Amino acid sequence: MTAAALHGALVASIPSPSQGVWHLGFVPIRAYAFAILAGIVVAILVCRSRWVARGGKADDVLEIALWAVPFGIVGGRLYHVITTPEPYWGKGGNPVKALYIWDGGLGIWGAIALGGVGAWIGCRRLNVSFPAFADALAPGLLFAQAIGRLGNYFNQELFGRPTDLPWALEIDPAHRPLGYEQYATFQPTFLYELVWNVAGGLFLIWLDRRFKLGHGRVFWLYVMIYTTGRVWIEALRIDDAEHILGLRLNIWTSILVWVGALVAFIVVGRRHQGREKTVELAAKEPEHTDAA
């Protein structure tokens, strides 16, 4: 590429933020953390509206979130550290950095798995239907994940292969991986996933209103929508990752989870038609003891 062509490509490209951390006195304000928190707030608000529309109590959502969010953050970090161990346990790695959540690195599969455990605990405590809650939450999860990707944008991480497309993302030399130092612009995978997730969330809301889905089917559709996008977006990325048979671990995970979600969607659909009549579970009968 000539100097003139390179200049033209840079003009048409997406600039990366000059910084991702601001300081309020001694307190660092990190864009990544703010994006995660903003995503959580949006997910709660969307879930709250949908939960009430299904007959649930508005206060239930926040109480369940108090269980689900901490579990999800821990699960997301565990998945990231386990599937990307080199920065922490490899040569020159620092195990202490496994605790540095603010530097980025929350694996969605771990977050959904352990977050789901937390949500299940919250639903059990409130005696409400966990599948119905998962359905109410599903579109909000996609919106939250879309917002969370802005944190990757500010951190200049998880971008794709070099490209000179008009919407290419400029990456500072300090953030370019080994072997790609000579390239200035890369595939903006954060943007692809952001757009995919927002579109997927809106599509889920439409499907749910159109077909009155319930019993967890909206959630399984969420899984299929997300994993479909994740496969092709993951294939563009060049950050370090574990590989199996030439494919990134997250691609294999997405394929297997997609198949599992499809099976679950079909099985649930055969067992339950339509939507739940109520999100409240039957009250537990009190245990009776013989009089002394």
Side-chain angles (χ1 to χ4, degrees), residues 48 51-52 56-66 126 133:
R48 187 173 184 268
W51 182 245
V52 170
K57 299 175 182 177
D59 291 342
D60 291 349
V61 176
L62 184 58
E63 188 166 342
I64 295 171
L66 290 176
L126 295 173
F133 183 80

Side-chain angles (χ1 to χ4, degrees), residues 243-255:
H243 285 71
I244 299 176
L245 300 178
L247 292 178
R248 294 166 66 94
L249 175 60
N250 278 332
I251 292 180
W252 286 112
T253 303
S254 295
I255 293 171

Side-chain angles (χ1 to χ4, degrees), residues 278-289:
T278 177
V279 299
E280 302 285 342
L281 298 180
K284 298 179 181 178
E285 295 185 5
E287 295 182 3
H288 298 283
T289 56

Side-chain angles (χ1 to χ4, degrees), residues 91-177:
K91 184 178 180 181
N94 184 357
V96 176
K97 287 188 175 181
L99 303 175
Y100 294 0
I101 295 177
W102 53 86
D103 283 342
L106 290 175
I108 184 61
W109 305 122
I112 293 297
L114 268 191
V117 172
W120 178 81
I121 293 173
C123 288
R124 289 276 294 180
R125 289 171 60 86
L126 295 173
N127 204 39
V128 296
S129 169
F130 175 61
F133 183 80
D135 282 345
L137 176 62
L141 282 177
L142 282 170
F143 297 146
Q145 289 168 234
I147 296 171
R149 283 306 178 194
L150 291 174
N152 302 134
Y153 171 56
F154 276 90
N155 280 359
Q156 296 195 47
E157 61 183 1
L158 307 186
F159 44 85
R161 295 192 294 266
T163 182
D164 57 0
L165 291 169
W167 55 86
L169 177 65
E170 297 176 30
I171 297 296
D172 296 337
H175 294 89
R176 297 171 194 168

